Amino acid sequence: IAYPHSLGLLYSAFTYFCGFEVNSGEYKLMGLAPYGQPVYADLIRDRIIDIKEDGSFHLNMEYFGFLETDKMTNESFASLFGGPPRAPEERITRREMDLAASIQRVVEDAVLALARHARKITEVSDLVLAGGVALNCVANGRLQREKVFDRLWIQPAAGDAGGALGAALLASYRHLGVRCQNHSRDSQRGSYLGPAYSSAEARAFLDREKRPYRFVENLSERMRVVAEALAEGHVVGYFAGRMEYGPRALGARSILGDPRRETMQATMNLKIKNRESFRPFAPVVLAERCGEYFTLDTESPYMLLVAQIREERRRSVNLKEETDDLLAIVNQPRSDIPAVTHVDYSARVQTVSEGDKIDYYELLKAFDELTGCGVLVNTSFNVRDEPIVCSPRDAYRCFMQTEMDMLVLEDCILLKREQSTWSAELAIPVDVLPPNKPRDEKLARFFQEELTPVAIDIRQRGIQLLPGADTAEQTSYYRPYMKPQVNMTAVGQDAIAHELAKLWTTQGLPDLASLAGPLMALATELAADDDQDGDLSPFIYAMF
């Protein structure tokens, strides 16, 4: 089926129209769908897409704008669905919920029709899926439940990133004589194909930055400590082993929580991930206990299948009236593992076997032995609009910028309450950078990577940068990016300069002096950029 006729582009058009970002907000649309009813499904089939019995389809391009403009949809699309697209960050209304439910239903029907036709013409019993639409785990779950094929496997990096793996496999097959082998299990082995950091590297980072931590080399003991923290309701950033290949966190770069707690979903969405409250979290479950919690009769190591919570674990929900208040809907517990139960009693399941990732499996076992629950909340180790963490520095910064309680860096365990508050104060989040100003990016990087460690070290040695000022006032000097209109005259430029000069001359701070070279190099580089707009960066104030 040739471009522009594409299920992915169709889904992205509704993603855009509902106010989410194309090529990244499709997950949000899928998560929003259970809140609505598919009331527009027939209208979509009648006017937007023609799906034949064999699964082939044709889009009506009169309603799309992506061929001629930078918008996915046009005025005809807006007229068909009762008004202009929702603006990003605008309140989500019943229309968006119902549109999400409707396009999800239509895409599922198209995928099922394609699969049934493929089975008919090939008479093959196994199906492998790839491509962006293969990341629609709700459609995958329906395909699994309806048993169109005997076995289903979805490439875990099914989107464009998977093209690199596909090209390598194709070249090895065609040109290097490598032949396919039969495996009793998935030979991608959990998709832990990314970079890794050794225990020594993690400890070197923490020692260099003078971060307090506990080194727990024994795996069983370490998992017991983490399981106890989770059972007490703490949120844990988990960083261990090679990074995941693909869009799902699978226990190498994950944030974990206790699924039994009714407030855990809202807490993790609003205080940890900084994302929309309606978005569900996925459960990770011991493979041997999966059937006790979910109606899933196969392994799901890549979190690409949605299954239903078993009937006996469900709780009835009594909302007094239909509401658009997503937080009120989310906060209704629907099962005995409410933090991973979506509004339609579904869950995007990851199963873990002993042979998949031993530390992750041992953590689940430890939590199960402690609580009787073989499930944890698992979400990616990042905050909204930032990539998943890769390095120990990434993980520590994310840990300090959120309300996580514990960080596991390989065999090192850090507690938030033991960390210096200054590291949190001095870490500048990316989203405060002014748009399209590379100069500010360079200043921010210098501020975070060069100045911040020195400043924290000075503070930890008990040296007061501004003698006589209390902590709140001192902090304000380091956070003017929160108040770009800061008046330096009111702060007292002469007083600050005088105190800094005294520090350099009387207290002998070679670590401050060591910044002179990098700072001069940065100043030269910024001068070469010939920035003419005349606005002083807020990071200039933050540094000086």
Side-chain angles (χ1 to χ4, degrees):
I1 298 175
Y3 177 86
H5 306 288
S6 156
L7 289 180
L9 287 172
L10 172 68
Y11 206 83
S12 292
F14 281 83
T15 299
Y16 160 78
F17 194 77
C18 289
F20 306 121
E21 187 175 350
V22 171
N23 293 331
S24 67
E26 284 76 11
Y27 301 125
K28 301 179 184 181
L29 193 70
M30 185 175 66
L32 185 63
Y35 293 91
Q37 298 296 325
V39 296
Y40 299 106
D42 289 340
L43 184 62
I44 293 170
R45 293 189 190 97
D46 290 343
R47 306 288 288 275
I48 302 291
I49 182 172
D50 180 22
I51 304 174
K52 303 299 184 183
E53 187 176 348
D54 65 357
S56 61
F57 53 85
H58 188 276
L59 299 184
N60 184 350
M61 297 309 297
E62 292 180 11
Y63 292 95
F64 298 91
F66 60 82
L67 289 180
E68 299 87 13
T69 72
D70 61 350
K71 303 289 190 296
M72 289 299 297
T73 62
N74 56 23
E75 291 183 2
S76 297
F77 194 101
S79 297
L80 188 64
F81 295 111
R86 168 184 168 263
E89 307 301 332
E90 221 173 46
R91 181 174 174 271
I92 293 172
T93 67
R94 177 59 52 184
R95 181 187 70 159
E96 284 77 50
M97 299 180 202
D98 291 342
L99 282 170
S102 301
I103 190 58
Q104 179 64 36
R105 174 68 60 81
V106 170
V107 166
E108 285 177 26
D109 290 345
V111 168
L112 280 166
L114 285 165
R116 290 190 178 105
H117 186 65
R119 177 76 191 250
K120 179 180 178 182
I121 63 175
T122 66
E123 298 183 351
V124 170
S125 60
D126 297 340
L127 178 66
V128 171
L129 293 179
V133 176
L135 294 173
N136 191 310
C137 51
V138 179
N140 296 342
R142 188 173 167 196
L143 200 56
Q144 174 70 26
R145 288 194 304 276
E146 299 201 12
K147 299 296 181 185
V148 180
F149 285 83
D150 297 347
R151 294 196 305 167
L152 176 65
W153 189 80
I154 304 107
Q155 212 278 85
D160 291 344
L165 179 61
L169 290 170
L170 181 63
S172 68
Y173 182 83
R174 286 189 175 176
H175 304 295
L176 301 177
V178 177
R179 289 294 174 260
C180 298
Q181 300 178 20
N182 290 323
H183 295 273
S184 59
R185 295 194 68 215
D186 165 21
S187 60
Q188 199 155 325
R189 298 177 184 174
S191 202
Y192 303 107
L193 304 177
Y197 293 81
S198 67
S199 170
E201 287 175 301
R203 280 179 281 147
F205 163 73
L206 295 171
D207 291 340
R208 185 175 63 251
E209 301 294 330
K210 297 181 175 62
R211 302 289 175 251
Y213 67 92
R214 177 182 171 191
F215 176 58
V216 188
E217 188 172 14
N218 182 272
L219 177 62
S220 296
E221 182 184 352
R222 186 166 68 251
M223 295 304 98
R224 179 186 56 78
V225 171
V226 178
E228 287 174 353
L230 289 165
E232 291 171 5
H234 297 310
V235 178
V236 176
Y238 193 78
F239 180 108
R242 294 186 68 171
M243 194 175 178
E244 301 90 341
Y245 173 59
R248 304 296 190 212
L250 303 171
R253 304 290 187 275
S254 289
I255 299 173
L256 305 174
D258 184 347
R260 303 169 302 162
R261 294 182 178 265
E262 296 179 2
T263 59
M264 185 58 70
Q265 179 178 352
T267 296
M268 291 179 75
N269 265 326
L270 300 176
K271 294 185 177 182
I272 310 293
K273 300 285 284 186
N274 300 324
R275 70 183 197 179
E276 298 87 350
S277 61
F278 68 84
R279 294 179 64 183
F281 285 110
V284 54
V285 59
L286 290 165
E288 62 267 29
R289 296 200 60 194
C290 179
E292 299 175 32
Y293 295 92
F294 310 104
T295 58
L296 185 65
D297 58 2
T298 187
E299 292 185 342
S300 178
Y302 302 121
M303 206 184 290
L304 285 171
L305 293 174
V306 163
Q308 295 296 111
I309 302 291
R310 294 192 67 86
E311 288 278 355
E312 60 268 26
R313 294 191 174 275
R314 298 183 187 183
R315 297 177 186 171
S316 58
V317 177
N318 296 312
L319 287 175
K320 294 180 180 178
E321 56 186 29
E322 188 175 274
T323 176
D324 290 354
D325 184 353
L326 294 181
L327 199 55
I329 299 173
V330 166
N331 284 339
Q332 293 287 322
R334 288 171 166 75
S335 76
D336 59 358
I337 45 172
V340 293
T341 304
H342 206 11
V343 292
D344 58 350
Y345 297 102
S346 68
R348 176 164 45 93
V349 180
Q350 179 195 5
T351 58
V352 177
S353 300
E354 191 170 7
D356 292 333
K357 192 171 189 289
I358 186 61
D359 60 294
Y360 203 31
Y361 180 81
E362 287 296 325
L363 175 56
L364 279 163
K365 288 286 287 184
F367 187 77
D368 187 23
E369 290 170 3
L370 191 64
T371 66
C373 178
V375 181
L376 287 173
V377 182
N378 172 26
T379 187
S380 58
F381 198 154
N382 66 317
V383 294
R384 183 182 181 186
D385 296 329
E386 286 202 9
I388 193 170
V389 302
C390 177
S391 68
R393 180 180 290 277
D394 295 338
Y396 185 81
R397 185 170 66 176
C398 186
F399 172 59
M400 293 303 296
Q401 288 179 347
T402 63
E403 295 187 33
M404 279 184 265
D405 305 291
M406 174 182 283
L407 172 62
V408 179
L409 279 181
E410 298 301 336
D411 41 18
C412 303
I413 296 178
L414 294 82
L415 301 179
K416 176 66 68 63
R417 65 175 181 267
E418 295 177 353
Q419 306 304 305
S420 165
T421 56
W422 281 82
S423 54
E425 295 291 347
L426 293 173
I428 297 180
V430 172
D431 60 9
V432 305
L433 288 173
N436 303 319
K437 290 199 175 182
R439 171 202 61 193
D440 283 345
E441 284 188 34
K442 294 171 184 174
L443 285 167
R445 192 174 300 113
F446 179 85
F447 183 75
Q448 289 171 261
E449 297 180 3
E450 302 285 350
L451 181 68
T452 297
V454 172
I456 293 170
D457 185 51
I458 291 170
R459 287 287 299 160
Q460 288 178 337
R461 281 153 47 192
I463 299 172
Q464 201 169 9
L465 289 179
L466 291 166
D470 64 26
T471 303
E473 290 172 340
Q474 292 171 39
T475 302
S476 71
Y477 294 128
Y478 289 90
R479 300 187 67 195
Y481 59 89
M482 301 296 286
K483 301 182 294 181
Q485 72 281 8
V486 63
N487 184 335
M488 288 301 288
T489 303
V491 173
Q493 297 177 64
D494 291 342
I496 293 174
H498 179 67
E499 294 297 340
L500 285 174
K502 279 201 304 184
L503 283 173
W504 281 58
T505 55
T506 64
Q507 298 201 28
L509 296 176
D511 31 17
L512 270 180
S514 70
L515 296 176
L519 187 56
M520 290 300 292
L522 178 62
T524 304
E525 182 182 353
L526 295 180
D529 289 343
D530 195 26
D531 192 347
Q532 299 288 330
D533 67 8
D535 293 331
L536 282 177
S537 165
F539 295 105
I540 292 289
Y541 294 123
M543 282 192 282
F544 294 104

